Amino acid sequence: MKVGIIGGAGYTGGELLRILIHHPAVEIVFVNSKSQAGKPVYSTHTDLLGDTDLLFSDDLHTDIDVAFLCSGHGESKKFLEANPSFKSIKIVDLSTDYRDQSEGFVYGLAELQREKIKTAQYIANPGCFATSIELALLPLAEAGILTDDIHISAVTGSTGAGQSLSATSHFSWRNNNISIYKAFTHQHLQEIGMVVNTLQSDFDQSFNFIPYRGNFTRGIMANVYTSFDGTLEDAKKLYKKYYETHPFTHISDKPVDVKQVVNTNKCLISLEVHNGNLLISSIIDNLTKGASGQAVQNMNLMFGLDEKTGLGLKSVGF
């Protein structure tokens, strides 16, 4: 498969390159970056020195099979309006622009709608927080047993803010620090609600979401709780049944921690029942399962490959 990457100098573009360079069925045709055009890819993504001699380019080619759009939120629509010829090829968009499934885009959460992804022309890759939270809720929504408000406390690493510097991404501020942001208003709430209603259309309760900035680089832990009329064994049976055919999501009998999934495309989930509430802890890497790894998973499905192809990644562990 011939691949083009638009916006290859950022975090998601770099992570996509790390995966695709070693993907057995991919040829990277170009890596577009206006700011880095003409420079080696490894001049920005310095860990790729020795892995690739690709250069960043400001040229665009449509003689490819799939384009990954890795520019900032709001930029994908502008790009496709300015370059309509790209609509003739398959697209995986990593921005928020089409997550409402407008203009023919399919929401790319394989654990929700794998069959639709297989036949899609355009994929809207889910957000990172959204992925972790949705995977925590899918089995309950599919069973139609979400009956009460959903409470979410989730923390993300600094790469979730993107590569552009801001007051809250500097090391001197973020290190040895923690803070909340966009409480109850985070932009991923819209897609989370859409996904839950896809499986349980009558759910109309509130999502109470408190996002945290963590003082680490990558990873997400989402702790989600809501009312549950059942035992811990009931919950485990429900979750294991739902995810038994999904290779990247696994139910742990022990509490989970973020280092278990950093640098992988996995989601690990642990469950607890307390006084009529089910607590679901869901962990992912925000740059892989929350972005570029999931994008490759979607590409694999779109082209009839095993969805695990190129994604046998190892966690850091320590």
Side-chain angles (χ1 to χ4, degrees), residues 210-252:
I210 310 296
Y212 290 80
R213 302 179 183 96
N215 66 340
F216 51 92
T217 303
R218 55 194 292 169
I220 285 175
M221 171 175 272
N223 293 299
V224 182
Y225 75 89
T226 191
S227 298
F228 181 71
D229 183 18
T231 66
L232 178 58
E233 288 308 310
D234 293 334
K236 287 182 177 180
K237 183 178 180 181
L238 179 70
Y239 275 71
K240 288 180 179 180
K241 177 66 175 175
Y242 187 93
Y243 288 117
E244 65 182 356
T245 64
H246 295 286
F248 292 114
T249 304
H250 305 279
I251 312 306
S252 173

Side-chain angles (χ1 to χ4, degrees), residues 26-298:
V26 162
E27 174 192 351
I28 302 173
V29 175
F30 68 85
V31 185
N32 177 270
S33 171
K34 293 179 181 178
S35 64
Q36 303 298 316
K39 298 178 182 179
V41 162
Y42 61 74
S43 67
T44 296
H45 307 300
T46 55
D47 59 298
L48 294 180
L49 177 63
D51 288 327
T52 181
D53 293 321
L54 281 166
L55 301 178
F56 288 113
S57 171
D58 57 3
D59 295 331
L60 295 170
H61 311 283
T62 54
D63 55 341
I64 56 175
D65 299 303
V66 58
F68 289 90
L69 307 185
C70 299
S71 301
H73 302 309
E75 296 301 316
S76 294
K77 279 194 174 182
K78 293 178 185 177
F79 175 82
L80 290 176
E81 288 169 359
N83 301 277
S85 60
F86 273 79
K87 293 183 179 180
S88 65
I89 60 177
K90 292 184 185 293
I91 292 170
V92 180
D93 176 30
L94 281 75
S95 80
T96 62
D97 293 12
Y98 298 102
R99 291 179 190 159
D100 61 356
Q101 303 192 98
S102 60
E103 299 185 36
F105 276 77
V106 171
Y107 191 73
L109 188 67
E111 293 81 0
L112 172 71
Q113 46 189 18
R114 182 162 48 194
E115 296 307 311
K116 285 187 177 180
I117 293 168
K118 288 179 179 180
T119 60
Q121 176 82 2
Y122 310 136
I123 291 293
N125 217 56
C128 51
F129 267 138
T131 296
S132 185
I133 294 164
E134 288 160 6
L135 293 175
L137 293 172
L138 289 181
L140 299 174
E142 197 270 342
I145 55 176
L146 288 169
T147 60
D148 205 348
D149 288 358
I150 296 170
H151 305 274
I152 307 159
S153 176
V155 59
T156 186
S158 59
T159 52
Q163 201 168 35
S164 298
L165 289 176
S166 67
T168 57
S169 63
H170 282 283
F171 175 83
S172 57
W173 186 90
R174 193 133 185 171
N175 190 47
N176 296 322
N177 201 3
I178 192 166
S179 62
I180 67 169
Y181 70 108
K182 298 181 181 177
F184 301 100
T185 64
H186 195 280
Q187 65 270 18
H188 289 181
L189 283 169
Q190 181 178 358
E191 61 191 277
I192 294 167
M194 177 189 73
V195 164
V196 168
N197 283 134
T198 298
L199 293 179
Q200 187 176 337
S201 60
D202 63 348
F203 180 76
D204 60 0
Q205 303 301 303
S206 296
F207 293 93
N208 301 309
F209 178 25
I210 310 296
Y212 290 80
R213 302 179 183 96
N215 66 340
F216 51 92
T217 303
R218 55 194 292 169
I220 285 175
M221 171 175 272
N223 293 299
V224 182
Y225 75 89
T226 191
S227 298
F228 181 71
D229 183 18
T231 66
L232 178 58
E233 288 308 310
D234 293 334
K236 287 182 177 180
K237 183 178 180 181
L238 179 70
Y239 275 71
K240 288 180 179 180
K241 177 66 175 175
Y242 187 93
Y243 288 117
E244 65 182 356
T245 64
H246 295 286
F248 292 114
T249 304
H250 305 279
I251 312 306
S252 173
D253 290 327
K254 298 179 179 180
V256 292
D257 63 85
V258 169
K259 279 191 175 181
Q260 290 175 274
V261 296
V262 168
N263 196 46
T264 79
N265 202 52
K266 290 181 182 178
C267 173
L268 299 185
I269 291 172
S270 63
L271 304 166
E272 299 179 28
V273 172
H274 298 279
N275 301 317
N277 287 311
L278 177 63
L279 169 64
I280 311 109
S281 296
S282 172
I283 55 169
I284 65 168
D285 185 315
N286 58 294
L287 290 179
T288 41
K289 184 58 174 169
S292 303
Q294 185 158 229
V296 173
Q297 181 183 358
N298 283 323

